[in-house]
C-alpha cells in the first residue's frame, strides 16, 4: 500500500506532474493541457494521501476507486499513476501514439472475454473506467460504491468532474440517485476552473449557485481552494465522517494552472503547446 | 440439430415474463446478481426480483443513462449487473452510455430489453423499437439474443447471466405462441433448425419464427421445400448455418420484427455475399415508421406474417430459377 506523503512531498510531486503533463502533450502534439493542469493538486492529494491503493495490486478488491469522469484530463491521471508506480515514467511520452497504453482519453478493459475487438487496445493498471464522452463517471462510481455496500467492504469511490461537464443531464440523474440511495461512501469532486471548450462557463452555461444545487440534491458540500493540498486533504477527511449522504467537494481551480500563458486561456482547453511554448512552459514550471 | 415440433397446446406467454423468475432462480443458486431499473420494473418483470432481493435491486427513477452507468460500475466491482427497460429506450436513449461505459470496457452487464419491435402497438411510433438491433449490433463484443418464445427467453437470459461480458436480450410485451417445450436447449451462437428443407431457407427470429413455420407449411402445399432456422443469436451470427443454407438451398429469406435494411437480415446478407452469394429476400419493416394499432394488425399491415414470408419466398425462388 502506498504510504501517506507529507504536504511538502505532495507539492513537490505536483510540480513534477505539471512538467510531465506539458511534456506529454507536447510530444503527442495534441491533448488537453488546461483541464489537466487544473486538476493536479486534486489528483495528488488523492493518490498520495487520501486513497487506499496499492500499485503492486491494481485490482486489490479493497482499494478505493477513483473515476476520472473528465476523461480529457487523462494526462494528469497518467502522470500521477506513473509517479505512484503503476507505470514507468518514461512511458508517459508515448501518450496518444499508436500502440501505446496511454490512450487519448482513459480506457479500461476488463478481461476475461475473447469475443471483443477491444483486446487490441491495452489499458493501464490503475485506470478504472473508460471516459471521454462526458458525464458517465459519477453513475459508474455510484455502481462501485453500491457494490462495496453489497459486499460489506469499506472502500470508497471518488469521481472527478469538470465544471463544464455539469451541463450534462446524466450528472444530475446520478446526483439525485446517489442521495436517494444514501451512498455515503461516494465523494464527487468538481474541478471548478470556470472554463469549458468554447469559453467561460458563465458565458456558455451558467451553473452558479453550484453549492446550493448540490445541497438541494441532498449532498454534503465542501468548498476548497483547489490548488491548496492541505485544504483538499482536510475536505476529503471531513467527507469520510459524513454518514447517510454523498459528499461533493467544489475545488476552485485555475485552468492551465502553473503556466502563465495557459492560465484562464480558453485556447489551451484542447491545444498542445508548440516547441517554443513548451520550452517557456517548462521554464516557468522549473523544468530541467 | 433436432427438429422441434410446434404445438398450439403449449399456449402463449410474453417473453418478458421470463426475466423476473429467471433472475430469482439464478440468485437462489448464489449468482452474484444486482439489478438496476428505471421505473419500468413492473412491466419488465424485474420488480419480481426486487420483492425477493430488495438489497440487490436499485431503481434510479426515469433515468436510463444513469441506470447504465450504475450497472457498469456494479459490474466493474464484480457484480453480474442486469439492467432492464423497454427496447425503445435501451439502446436508443442510452446508446452512448452503453458504448463507453459497457461495451468498450467489455463489462459484465446484461441488458434485458422488453417491449421490442412493434409489440407496443397502440402506444404508437414513439414506443416502437425497430432500430434497437441495428444499434446494439454495431457495438463490438456484445452478445445479442432475440428469443422466439418464453422457454427460449428464460434460457437466453440464463445464458447471458452465466456468461462473461455484455449481452442484450430482446423480449416482447405481448404474448407470443410458445413453440418450444422443456426438452429444448438453447445454444448461444447456434441457429436452431426448426424444419429441414432443400429449396429455400427462411432465417427468422422472435415472433417471426412461428410465422416462418406457418409459411413453410403453406409453401409445402405448393411443392416448395422450405428450411426454417431460428437465428435467436444475432451476435455472433451462426455463420456455418448461414453458409450451409446458401450452399444447400440456394436461396434465403430473412424475417424479423425490425427495420429490414439494418437488422439481422442485413447482417446475414453480409455473410452470404462474402461466402456464397445467392438470391435473398428481407421481411421486416421497410424503411419507414409504423403507427398506432393492435400488434397483430400492425404485423399484418407491414407484412410481418406467414403470408408476407411466403410471398417473399416465391419471389426469391423466381430469381433463383432464372439465375438472377
Amino acid at each position: 500500500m502506498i504510504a501517506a506523503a507529507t504536504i511538502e512531498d505532495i507539492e513537490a510531486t505536483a510540480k513534477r506532474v505539471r512538467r510531465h503533463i506539458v511534456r506529454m502533450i507536447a510530444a503527442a502534439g495534441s491533448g488537453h493541457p488546461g483541464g489537466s493542469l487544473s486538476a493536479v493538486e486534486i489528483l495528488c492529494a488523492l493518490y498520495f494521501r487520501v486513497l487506499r491503493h496499492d500499485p503492486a495490486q491494481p485490482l486489490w478488491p479493497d482499494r478505493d476507486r477513483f473515476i476520472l469522469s473528465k476523461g480529457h484530463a487523462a494526462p494528469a491521471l497518467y502522470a500521477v499513476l506513473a509517479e505512484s508506480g503503476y507505470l514507468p515514467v518514461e512511458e508517459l511520452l508515448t501518450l496518444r501514439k499508436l500502440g501505446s497504453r496511454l490512450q487519448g482519453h482513459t480506457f479500461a478493459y476488463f478481461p476475461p472475454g475473447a469475443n471483443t475487438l477491444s483486446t487490441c487496445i491495452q489499458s493501464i493498471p490503475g485506470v478504472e473506467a473508460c471516459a471521454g464522452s462526458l458525464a458517465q463517471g459519477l453513475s459508474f462510481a455510484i455502481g462501485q460504491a453500491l457494490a462495496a455496500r453489497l459486499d460489506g467492504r469499506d472502500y470508497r469511490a471518488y469521481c472527478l468532474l469538470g465544471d463544464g461537464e455539469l451541463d450534462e443531464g446524466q450528472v444530475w440523474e446520478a446526483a439525485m440517485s446517489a442521495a436517494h440511495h444514501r451512498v455515503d461512501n461516494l465523494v464527487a469532486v468538481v474541478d471548478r476552473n470556470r472554463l469549458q471548450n468554447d469559453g467561460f462557463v458563465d458565458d456558455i452555461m451558467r451553473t452558479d449557485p453550484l453549492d446550493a444545487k448540490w445541497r438541494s440534491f441532498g449532498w454534503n458540500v465542501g468548498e476548497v481552494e483547489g490548488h491548496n493540498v492541505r485544504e483538499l486533504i482536510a475536505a476529503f477527511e471531513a467527507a469520510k465522517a459524513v454518514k447517510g449522504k454523498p459528499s461533493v467537494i467544489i475545488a476552485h481551480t485555475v485552468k492551465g494552472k502553473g503556466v502563465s500563458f495557459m492560465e484562464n486561456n480558453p485556447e489551451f482547453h484542447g491545444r498542445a503547446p508548440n516547441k517554443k511554448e513548451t520550452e517557456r512552459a517548462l521554464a516557468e514550471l522549473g523544468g530541467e | 440439430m433436432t427438429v422441434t415440433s410446434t404445438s398450439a397446446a403449449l399456449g402463449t406467454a410474453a417473453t418478458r415474463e421470463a426475466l423476473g423468475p429467471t433472475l430469482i432462480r439464478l440468485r437462489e443458486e448464489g449468482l452474484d446478481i444486482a439489478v438496476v431499473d428505471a421505473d419500468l420494473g413492473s412491466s419488465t418483470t424485474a420488480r419480481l426480483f426486487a420483492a425477493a432481493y430488495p438489497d440487490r435491486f436499485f431503481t434510479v427513477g426515469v433515468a436510463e443513462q444513469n441506470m447504465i452507468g450504475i450497472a457498469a460500475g456494479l459490474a466493474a466491482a464484480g457484480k453480474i449487473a442486469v439492467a432492464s427497460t423497454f427496447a425503445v429506450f435501451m439502446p436508443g436513449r442510452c446508446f452512448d452510455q452503453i458504448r463507453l461505459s459497457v461495451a468498450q470496457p467489455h463489462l459484465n452487464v446484461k441488458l434485458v430489453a422488453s417491449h421490442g419491435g412493434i409489440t407496443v402497438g397502440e402506444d404508437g411510433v414513439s414506443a416502437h423499437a425497430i432500430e434497437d438491433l441495428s444499434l446494439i449490433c454495431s457495438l463490438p463484443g456484445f452478445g445479442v439474443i432475440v428469443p422466439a418464445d418464453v422457454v427460449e427467453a428464460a434460457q437466453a437470459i440464463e445464458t447471458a447471466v452465466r456468461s462473461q461480458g455484455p449481452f442484450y436480450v430482446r423480449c416482447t410485451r405481448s404474448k407470443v405462441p410458445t413453440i418450444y417445450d422443456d426438452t429444448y436447449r438453447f445454444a448461444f451462437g447456434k441457429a436452431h433448425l426448426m424444419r429441414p428443407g432443400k429449396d429455400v431457407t427462411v432465417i427468422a427470429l422472435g415472433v417471426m419464427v412461428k410465422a416462418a413455420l406457418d409459411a413453410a407449411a403453406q409453401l409445402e402445399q405448393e411443392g416448395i421445400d422450405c428450411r426454417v432456422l431460428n437465428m435467436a443469436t444475432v451476435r455472433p451470427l451462426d455463420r456455418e448455418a448461414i453458409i450451409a443454407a446458401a450452399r444447400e438451398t440456394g436461396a434465403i429469406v430473412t424475417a424479423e420484427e425490425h427495420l429490414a435494411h439494418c437488422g439481422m437480415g442485413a447482417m446475414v446478407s453480409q455473410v452470404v455475399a462474402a461466402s456464397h452469394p445467392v438470391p435473398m429476400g428481407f421481411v421486416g419493416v421497410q424503411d419507414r415508421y409504423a403507427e398506432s394499432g393492435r400488434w397483430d394488425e400492425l404485423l399484418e399491415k407491414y407484412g410481418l406474417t406467414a403470408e408476407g414470408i411466403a410471398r417473399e419466398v416465391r419471389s426469391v425462388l423466381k430469381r433463383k430459377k432464372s439465375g438472377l
Side-chain angles (χ1 to χ4, degrees), chain A residues 2-287:
Chain A
I2 207 152
T6 64
I7 304 281
E8 292 68 31
D9 285 345
I10 295 172
E11 286 169 348
T13 307
K15 275 191 175 173
R16 282 200 303 280
V17 166
R18 284 210 158 79
R19 292 198 289 269
H20 291 320
I21 290 170
V22 169
R23 285 203 189 98
M24 291 164 79
I25 296 174
S30 67
H32 298 78
S36 297
L37 291 168
S38 68
V40 169
E41 281 80 10
I42 299 168
L43 288 169
C44 287
L46 283 167
Y47 276 84
F48 300 108
R49 182 62 83 80
V50 178
L51 294 182
R52 184 169 70 195
H53 69 120
D54 182 356
Q57 313 173 66
L59 295 175
W60 177 29
D62 285 320
R63 73 192 183 280
D64 287 333
R65 269 53 166 187
F66 173 76
I67 301 298
L68 181 71
S69 192
K70 46 174 285 184
H72 54 280
L77 178 60
Y78 298 154
V80 168
L81 288 174
E83 287 285 339
S84 300
Y86 286 90
L87 65 148
V89 168
E90 308 80 63
E91 191 178 342
L92 291 175
L93 292 179
T94 67
L95 174 72
R96 288 177 171 244
K97 293 189 162 68
L98 191 64
S100 169
R101 296 192 294 174
L102 279 65
Q103 299 294 301
H105 292 72
T106 57
F107 177 81
Y109 174 64
F110 292 82
N115 63 333
T116 173
L117 299 178
S118 295
T119 47
C120 65
I121 311 176
Q122 294 184 62
S123 60
I124 300 172
V127 173
E128 301 275 0
C130 294
S133 178
L134 293 171
Q136 299 189 29
L138 190 55
S139 305
F140 197 95
I142 293 169
Q144 293 174 310
L146 289 172
R149 183 194 289 180
L150 278 180
D151 289 339
R153 295 184 188 272
D154 66 350
Y155 66 79
R156 299 168 66 75
Y158 294 82
C159 175
L160 180 62
L161 299 150
D163 57 351
E165 186 175 10
L166 303 182
D167 298 351
E168 293 274 11
Q170 189 185 350
V171 170
W172 302 103
E173 292 181 3
M176 235 187 299
S177 65
H180 178 86
H181 290 289
R182 302 179 188 282
V183 188
D184 57 11
N185 54 343
L186 172 74
V187 179
V189 186
V190 178
D191 183 2
R192 186 73 161 142
N193 61 35
R194 294 195 171 268
L195 265 89
Q196 54 194 107
N197 187 64
D198 274 1
F200 290 88
V201 166
D202 281 353
D203 298 327
I204 308 294
M205 183 50 61
R206 199 169 48 251
T207 39
D208 281 331
L210 192 54
D211 57 334
K213 282 193 174 66
W214 286 98
R215 207 167 279 122
S216 74
F217 274 76
W219 287 56
N220 168 62
V221 181
E223 213 153 342
V224 298
E225 202 279 279
H227 299 301
N228 184 319
V229 172
R230 195 178 299 272
E231 273 191 41
L232 281 161
I233 291 170
F236 285 123
E237 290 305 324
K240 285 183 184 171
V242 175
K243 298 296 167 206
K245 54 164 85 171
S247 292
V248 60
I249 295 167
I250 300 170
H252 295 279
T253 60
V254 174
K255 194 142 173 169
K257 175 73 176 178
V259 179
S260 60
F261 59 93
M262 289 186 182
E263 287 192 0
N264 281 313
N265 181 357
E267 196 187 330
F268 283 98
H269 168 85
R271 168 166 99 68
N274 60 32
K275 194 163 184 292
K276 210 169 164 187
E277 289 164 340
T278 303
E279 283 167 10
R280 206 179 133 198
L282 290 173
E284 286 187 19
L285 292 169

